[in-house]
Amino acid sequence: MRTAETILAIIRVYGTRGLPLERVYPLLYNPNLYLRAYARLYPNKGAMTKGSTDETVDGMSLVKIDKLIDDVRYERHRWTPVRRVHIPKPNGKMRPLGLPTWSDKLLQEVMRSILEAYYDAQFSEHSHGFRPKHGCHTALQEIQQTWKGTRWFIEGDIAKYFDTINHEKLLEILSENIRDERFLRLIRELLAAGYMEDWKFKLTLSGAPQGGVISPLLSNIYLNKFDHWVEETLIPAYTRGTKRRDNPAYNRICSRLYRLRRNGQMKEAKKLLQQRRKLPSIDPNDEGYRRLHYTRYADDFLLGYTGTKEEAEEIKRTIKEWLRDNLKLDLSDEKTLITHATIQKARFLGDDIAGGYTEDKLDAYKRRTINGVIGLFVPASVVEAKSSR
């Protein structure tokens, strides 16, 4: 019997090469995958949290694993409706959370490990949520290190994303690469298992429950289409030029400054130098130069644009239309904002993000060093909350 790591390594090769994955369902018969799943789940605090039954990790055994495998083999396994609870969000609203039973968690983790091994190599490097070796820090590092010169931020937020994932569209996306009807049917049944709230059963016609082990990965697979559209279509459409042209006003002052220094008029030259520092050395309105950057964490994404506000508004409209037409999702008008990089601050992953601008931060060669550099800041509200304790 193959070890779990051997199976997942083979699947990763298929994913890296973009080959279709067949005969996935029989992999669910391998107890080594369940032991690996158990090792990943049991240290979590949620392992002792009950779903809609009293079953938890307590009392787990090889006999239970064998029974679960036997039920899966003969397609007797039925997903238990998750227990829905509501937890507070930072904005004061409540977030619905679905709590699966322990056996369902274990099977979901086995399925998640198979799908992650296959799909992770196909995900965009701009996707940072719920991925190995990725997270909030890698998303923020990408912004800080590669978005220099950004003029506008477009803060994207998909309205009620986990609740509005279209089941048919998700299964259509999965079926492009997963050639196993029984495995896809198992996912379909999981999505349609429903939930219990106040001991009343309710159907789930769309969405994936937040709190489900496999839900974050399925959400990434769903939005991977969006990531690649942004990379392959949207970014090329709003990226042009190799270098911004010089600012004519700045160059004129440079010429006058040179003449004053050559004639020994140092006092006048000093005044002119102060005036020059208030101007950018390159033309910020150069129509031949545009840059668009993108990063995403779960359903939150941020774009950085070097161009005009009108074009930034156009990008927002284009994204809204594409998500609606292709993934049946809506952007949150309340949270999808366009902010000026140096005058305002964008909020992403709990940090304030802004482009630096100052006239008097100079290096050893008297060059401005902060302008255009992306800075990450702790929000004032966080500082105040910590200080009040």
Side-chain angles (χ1 to χ4, degrees), residues 41 53 102 125 159 270 299 329 357:
L41 292 177
T53 70
W102 168 253
E125 281 306 305
K270 187 176 181 180
D299 57 332
L329 298 172
Y357 180 81

Side-chain angles (χ1 to χ4, degrees), residues 25 70-78 182 185:
Y25 198 82
D70 198 52
D71 288 342
V72 170
R73 185 192 301 272
Y74 295 104
E75 300 187 44
R76 293 194 300 260
H77 180 75
R78 296 294 178 266
R182 288 199 297 170
R185 186 162 63 248

Side-chain angles (χ1 to χ4, degrees), residues 51-53 80-86 97-99 193-204:
S52 53
T53 70
T80 305
V82 299
R83 179 169 66 92
R84 175 170 284 192
V85 297
H86 295 269
L97 195 66
L99 304 175
Y195 64 93
M196 299 289 292
E197 187 171 11
D198 296 329
W199 301 108
K200 293 181 180 178
F201 174 75
K202 297 183 181 180
L203 294 171
T204 46

Side-chain angles (χ1 to χ4, degrees), residues 30 220 241 337:
N30 191 315
N220 269 341
L337 309 173

